[in-house]
Every structure is written in structure tokens, then in C-alpha cells.
């Protein structure tokens, strides 16, 4: 009898969904206990342009903590000005549709009526991404670092019968990086123009490359193409 009692009393290993939920719960506990106050304090320093080395360290520590929580959950994150609120924070699928339910579960734990912080589970569009650049580095010091600038991106778009828009993104730098990296950058650029939610709902096939096509337009023009 003792054997069966000991076997039954063993701690059952958590399922992946249970581990994700535990990480989500841990984040919201940390956010309520200290994270929110630290994020708001960091935002106030940036707004007042009163930064110092100490403030920079504090901001970096906050970002590191947020990244650790996001990694534990399995989501991407972003944090910045909140438009009509002081701050906005989003834990997002990072362009992976299979993670939409996970991001939904994260958002379900957010405060329902926070007067200072806006919460979302999809990456938001950047008002003016024209100066946006992505640095692609390498763990190998012998390999060069590449800069992929938003201004150099072009898009060829075609509306389908179902209303979605297929796109082909081109950038000269796409030929200098791996296919995976180029694909990730393409989706980051699309998210910066349209927002992750609109990309999921309105964009169909996404292709990318460094070979330009007739009829290309600046990537920012995609906003008008999708909404008309």
C-alpha cells in the first residue's frame, strides 16, 4: 500500500500548456508587484529627457526582466509610449499564428481598467517607420554586420478574389542574409506598417527576395493598398 501511496503522491509533471500558464501567472504577479511601477518610472524619465547612466541601467534591467518573462511564456514583447496612455505593453505571437491562443491567454490576465497602461497581444503599427533599421549581427566576429533599413524596402502587392493581399517584399540586403532572417525581417516590416493584427487578417501569401519587380511601390504605401 505504501508503494502505491508514494507513487500517487508524486508531483505530476506539468503539461506544456500548464507551464505556459504558470509563466503567465508569474508575469502578472511580478507586474503587479514591481514591474508596472518600474516601467512607468522609466517612461517618465524618457519623457522628461532627464536620463542618466543610472536610468539607462535601470531601463536595461527592466527590458532584460521583460524579455526573460516573454521567453518563459514563449512570446515576443514590445513596450513604448501608449498614445492616449502613458505606456503600452504588448506580448505578441511574433508572427507565429500557432501562438495566437497563447497571446490571448496572456492578455486575459491584464488589468481590466488601467488608467496609465495600455495592454495588447499583437504588435502595433509604427506611425512613421521610415527611419526604422534592423541590425543583423553574428556570433562569428569574422562575419560582417548588415543593416536592413525600412526605407530600402519595396513591395509588389496583388489583391486576391477573397480580398486578401499577397505581397512580395524586396530589399537589396535580403540577398546578404539567410532566408530565415530575411523572412523574419519581412514580417517585422509588415507589422511596423500595418500592425500584427491587420497582417494576420488582411495579408495572404508573403514572399521576399532581393530581385526587384515591375510595379513595386514603397512599403509604406501598403497601408493604402490594404484599406482600399
Amino acid at each position: 500500500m505504501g508503494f502505491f501511496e508514494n507513487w500517487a503522491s508524486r508531483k505530476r509533471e506539468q503539461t506544456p500548456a500548464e507551464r505556459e500558464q504558470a509563466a503567465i501567472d508569474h508575469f502578472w504577479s511580478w507586474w503587479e508587484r514591481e514591474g508596472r511601477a518600474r516601467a512607468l518610472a522609466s517612461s517618465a524619465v524618457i519623457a522628461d529627457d532627464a536620463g542618466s547612466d543610472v536610468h539607462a541601467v535601470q531601463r536595461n534591467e527592466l527590458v532584460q526582466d521583460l524579455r526573460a518573462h516573454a521567453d518563459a511564456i514563449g512570446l515576443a514583447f514590445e513596450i513604448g509610449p501608449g498614445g492616449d496612455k502613458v505606456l503600452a505593453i504588448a506580448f505578441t505571437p511574433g508572427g507565429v499564428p500557432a501562438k495566437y491562443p497563447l497571446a490571448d491567454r496572456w492578455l486575459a490576465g491584464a488589468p481590466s481598467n488601467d488608467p496609465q497602461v495600455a495592454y495588447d497581444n499583437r504588435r502595433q503599427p509604427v506611425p512613421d517607420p521610415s527611419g526604422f533599421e534592423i541590425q543583423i549581427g553574428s556570433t562569428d566576429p569574422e562575419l560582417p554586420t548588415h543593416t536592413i533599413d525600412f526605407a530600402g524596402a519595396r513591395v509588389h502587392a496583388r489583391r486576391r478574389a477573397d480580398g486578401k493581399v499577397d505581397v512580395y517584399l524586396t530589399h537589396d540586403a535580403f540577398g546578404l542574409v539567410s532566408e530565415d532572417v530575411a523572412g523574419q525581417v519581412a514580417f517585422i516590416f509588415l507589422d511596423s506598417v500595418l500592425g500584427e493584427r491587420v497582417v494576420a487578417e488582411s495579408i495572404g501569401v508573403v514572399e521576399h527576395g532581393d530581385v526587384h519587380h515591375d510595379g513595386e511601390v514603397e512599403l509604406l504605401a501598403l497601408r493604402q493598398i490594404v484599406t482600399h
Side-chain angles (χ1 to χ4, degrees):
M1 178 65 72
F3 170 80
F4 288 104
E5 288 177 348
N6 290 336
W7 179 83
S9 63
R10 286 181 185 173
K11 184 178 181 180
R12 180 176 60 84
E13 184 177 354
Q14 289 183 315
T15 65
E18 289 172 334
R19 286 195 294 272
E20 291 167 351
Q21 190 58 50
I24 290 172
D25 294 342
H26 181 57
F27 168 80
W28 288 118
S29 176
W30 169 83
W31 182 254
E32 180 180 2
R33 186 175 64 253
E34 62 175 280
R36 180 180 179 277
R38 288 170 57 191
L40 286 169
S42 179
S43 177
V45 168
I46 294 173
D48 291 340
D49 195 24
S52 66
D53 290 343
V54 172
H55 293 131
V57 170
Q58 292 172 343
R59 286 196 298 272
N60 289 337
E61 289 176 346
L62 172 66
V63 170
Q64 289 172 6
D65 286 347
L66 286 168
R67 181 174 291 113
H69 281 286
D71 288 346
I73 297 170
L75 295 172
F77 83 95
E78 62 181 30
I79 187 168
D84 59 344
K85 294 194 176 184
V86 176
L87 189 70
I89 182 170
F91 274 44
T92 79
V96 181
K99 292 187 176 183
Y100 288 168
L102 178 58
D104 293 343
R105 285 161 51 201
W106 174 85
L107 186 61
S112 59
N113 193 15
D114 192 321
Q116 294 178 290
V117 183
Y119 303 91
D120 208 332
N121 60 351
R122 299 292 188 272
R123 187 178 292 117
Q124 299 301 298
V126 178
D128 181 12
S130 56
F132 184 35
E133 293 182 342
I134 297 178
Q135 299 287 333
I136 307 297
S138 173
T139 56
D140 187 343
E142 300 296 323
L143 296 178
T145 296
H146 300 290
T147 298
I148 305 182
D149 62 315
F150 180 92
R154 297 292 183 271
V155 62
H156 184 276
R158 182 180 64 86
R159 187 173 295 278
R160 306 188 321 202
D162 63 1
K164 289 201 170 188
V165 178
D166 293 338
V167 297
Y168 190 100
L169 271 71
T170 57
H171 197 294
D172 292 340
F174 282 168
L176 304 176
V177 297
S178 70
E179 277 289 309
D180 286 345
V181 169
Q184 291 172 6
V185 172
F187 272 100
I188 290 173
F189 280 173
L190 286 174
D191 290 344
S192 70
V193 173
L194 302 173
E196 195 170 6
R197 186 171 283 105
V198 174
V199 169
E201 294 172 352
S202 301
I203 299 299
V205 176
V206 177
E207 297 179 294
H208 62 271
D210 60 346
V211 178
H212 294 272
H213 294 75
D214 293 337
E216 288 180 347
V217 295
E218 293 183 354
L219 186 51
L220 198 57
L222 192 59
R223 286 179 178 169
Q224 289 187 326
I225 293 172
V226 168
T227 56
H228 289 81

